[in-house]
Amino acid sequence: MSRRLPILALFFGLVACNAASVAFPRPELFAKDNLVAWCIVPFDAKKRGPEERAAMLEKMGIKRLAYDYRKEHIPTFDAELDALKRHGIELTAWWFPGSLNEEARMTLDLFKRHGVNPQLWITGGGAATKDAAEQSARVESEAARIRPVAEEAAKLGLKVALYNHGNWFGEPENQLAIIERLQRDGVTNVGIVYNQHHGHEHLDRFPVLLEKMKPHLLAVNLNGMFRDGDKLGRKIVPLGQGDLDLQLLRLIRESGWQGPIGLLNHTDEDAEARLLDNLDGLLWLTALLDGKPAGPAPMPRSWKAPAWPAAKPEGALGDVQIIPAANSDELTRANGWPAPESFRRWDRSLGGPTSNRFSALTQIDKKNVAKLEVAWTYRAGDGTGNIQCNPIIVDGVMFAPTPGGHVVAVDASDGQERWRFKVERQGNRLEDAVARRGLLYWPGDAQNADRVIFGSGNW
């Protein structure tokens, strides 16, 4: 922040001066080499075989596969792994039997023979338990079911992932209880694969669940998400089409968890078309997350939004139907602007791109605001005057105009001036004052350094 940089001034309307660079993280969580194709074997309108499937993934640039199957696919297991190897596709996970039966042992021998190390995705069911005693017994019985699989997997260096698929077993809290029980017996190779398309009932508590699952999370399978989508004909939707997608991806990325990330078909559509729809949606969403121009949401190849069901007001009598003013195809999709993270910065006078004076920061709240004390006072010492500019703060430095026509950079932690820039005044009217109504910070781009921009003169 203390470096001196060249100044660019446009006195007809704008003045710009270099400011501190702000380094925003660019995690690679949603990078293509971290993506895993899922539910594309029994779910594929074109019924591709091992070679066609591996070639399709290579062409799309997807380098990982989570393999699911039905009985008719068992004879092609060796051909599947051979095709994946030829096309450079990693076998990341395998839909595994729920117990250590003959099929499970045969599959483990397959992995050993081919030298692959996939996660073993195992699911379960069960009705909700009625009391603490039944809950404890259920955890014991499920841990006993999983333990032999986990122990055999450990001999090959494999991990087991508990797969949420609804019912009792599909609740993350119950999966965590199973994992903790197994850990008490020294079984430490069991984690969780979380599926959004089986998590509509988890939406309200997902931020808390994510933090609890994170130490054990081996994979997350994404889905376009609507509230109650599983009840409204929108259970499995391409990424970018759900109205909760951006919010959920932001939560996952900001958690610091590193993947892998699954993209699924799980429909009767062409697997390639649905994967491409998910790739398009993910690219669009990550652009929004990064604050880059994204344009409108992509139009999917493999999905058409179903009509919303007619709603009946609570307590209404007789036949009542609410008819929307526009159907889904006629609505303009939200473009993610302004992004929620913009409310945690103050890089434009009055706070962010909407200048709505709102901050999402939480350190100061109703309980402690009355306890605030003056930490420091800054005096420019260059005259007196009327200032109507709300200062901005970037990377711990406050930028503001002074009565004497300077723009100053002040350390926001102690009030010490870092530098000042004298702007040549253009006009003598009150409204001609430097940064009369505000400043904004521009982070720069590949060709240009960052800037603080403000008006000066007859604007």
Side-chain angles (χ1 to χ4, degrees):
M1 287 304 306
S2 61
R3 67 187 191 277
R4 293 184 177 273
L5 298 170
I7 303 298
L8 171 65
L10 304 173
F11 288 112
F12 291 105
L14 296 177
V15 174
C17 59
N18 282 9
S21 296
V22 176
F24 297 104
R26 293 291 185 269
E28 297 300 321
L29 176 62
F30 303 122
K32 230 178 185 182
D33 59 4
N34 203 29
L35 302 180
V36 182
W38 171 229
C39 284
I40 65 167
V41 180
F43 300 98
D44 183 8
K46 293 191 175 180
K47 301 298 181 183
R48 292 173 174 86
E51 176 63 26
E52 295 173 298
R53 189 163 31 253
M56 174 192 73
L57 293 176
E58 183 181 24
K59 182 181 71 172
M60 297 171 67
I62 296 179
K63 302 176 182 179
R64 295 180 170 192
L65 171 67
Y67 185 80
D68 58 329
Y69 67 94
R70 298 295 182 265
K71 186 177 181 179
E72 63 266 24
H73 299 107
I74 293 177
T76 67
F77 281 179
D78 283 292
E80 191 80 35
L81 270 60
D82 288 338
L84 294 179
K85 184 176 181 179
R86 280 195 301 273
H87 291 274
I89 309 298
E90 175 193 279
L91 181 66
T92 299
W94 190 279
W95 182 250
F96 201 75
S99 63
L100 193 61
N101 56 23
E102 182 180 350
E103 186 176 309
R105 293 185 182 278
M106 177 270 293
T107 307
L108 291 174
D109 288 341
L110 173 79
F111 299 155
K112 186 175 181 179
R113 189 164 64 251
H114 285 267
V116 293
N117 300 283
Q119 300 173 12
L120 310 183
W121 290 0
I122 295 181
T123 192
T129 54
K130 300 180 179 64
D131 52 41
E134 185 179 0
Q135 174 72 8
S136 179
R138 182 74 60 78
V139 170
E140 286 290 335
S141 65
E142 287 298 281
R145 176 174 71 91
I146 300 297
R147 185 181 297 110
V149 176
E151 290 174 344
E152 288 301 309
K155 295 176 183 179
L156 299 179
L158 308 181
K159 294 183 178 180
V160 174
L162 307 185
Y163 185 104
N164 64 303
H165 202 292
N167 300 308
W168 182 91
F169 190 88
E171 294 300 319
E173 294 91 344
N174 296 332
Q175 294 181 339
L176 290 168
I178 294 169
I179 291 170
E180 291 169 3
R181 178 64 188 87
L182 290 168
Q183 287 178 338
R184 292 205 300 270
D185 288 343
V187 179
T188 59
N189 63 325
V190 179
I192 290 174
V193 48
Y194 186 79
N195 299 272
Q196 287 188 331
H197 63 293
H198 290 303
H200 289 87
E201 294 182 356
H202 305 153
L203 284 171
D204 288 335
R205 66 184 200 275
F206 181 72
V208 174
L209 288 176
L210 180 60
E211 285 303 308
K212 290 180 179 179
M213 292 189 294
K214 193 167 66 170
H216 311 283
L217 201 54
L218 300 180
V220 171
N221 293 323
L222 300 180
N223 181 55
M225 294 295 284
F226 294 90
R227 184 170 296 280
D228 295 323
D230 54 333
K231 302 172 184 176
L232 300 172
R234 297 166 185 247
K235 180 175 181 178
I236 299 177
V237 175
L239 283 172
Q241 304 304 314
D243 54 16
L244 299 176
D245 297 358
L246 188 64
Q247 173 187 346
L248 291 170
L249 262 64
R250 180 175 289 108
L251 279 171
I252 295 169
R253 189 170 82 165
E254 291 183 352
S255 75
W257 180 77
Q258 290 300 306
I261 293 290
L263 303 180
L264 75 158
N265 182 12
H266 209 315
T267 71
D268 293 331
E269 301 291 336
D270 172 25
E272 182 177 16
R274 179 53 62 96
L275 288 175
L276 287 171
D277 285 342
N278 279 309
L279 286 172
D280 289 347
L282 185 60
L283 183 65
W284 180 71
L285 290 165
T286 51
L288 293 175
L289 286 175
D290 292 338
K292 297 177 180 178
M299 294 296 292
R301 308 163 183 78
S302 66
W303 184 78
K304 181 176 176 60
W308 291 104
K312 184 174 182 179
E314 185 176 353
L317 300 175
D319 294 329
V320 177
Q321 183 178 12
I322 296 177
I323 302 175
N327 61 43
S328 298
D329 293 337
E330 296 171 324
L331 298 177
T332 301
R333 295 196 58 79
N335 65 4
W337 185 92
E341 62 262 24
S342 68
F343 297 120
R344 293 193 287 273
R345 305 193 301 269
W346 207 265
D347 50 12
R348 180 173 181 150
S349 291
L350 304 181
T354 57
S355 298
N356 62 2
R357 302 171 174 84
F358 171 75
S359 172
L361 301 178
T362 58
Q363 187 175 3
I364 300 173
D365 55 28
K366 293 180 180 179
K367 296 178 181 179
N368 60 29
V369 66
K371 301 177 183 178
L372 293 178
E373 299 177 353
V374 175
W376 51 262
T377 301
Y378 171 77
R379 300 187 187 280
D382 60 356
T384 60
N386 185 315
I387 295 178
Q388 298 184 12
C389 173
N390 175 233
I392 64 173
I393 299 177
V394 179
D395 200 22
V397 175
M398 177 182 293
F399 299 92
T402 71
H406 291 87
V407 170
V408 295
V410 176
D411 190 322
S413 66
D414 57 16
Q416 296 299 307
E417 184 177 309
R418 295 286 190 86
W419 52 256
R420 63 172 54 201
F421 169 55
K422 177 64 175 177
V423 182
E424 182 180 347
R425 180 152 182 165
Q426 303 292 304
N428 296 313
R429 302 175 304 162
L430 184 62
E431 56 266 34
D432 293 332
V434 174
R436 170 71 173 164
R437 295 294 189 183
L439 315 95
L440 64 86
Y441 171 75
W442 178 61
D445 55 26
Q447 289 78 39
N448 301 281
D450 48 351
R451 297 283 190 270
V452 169
I453 303 174
F454 50 90
S456 176
N458 186 12
W459 51 272

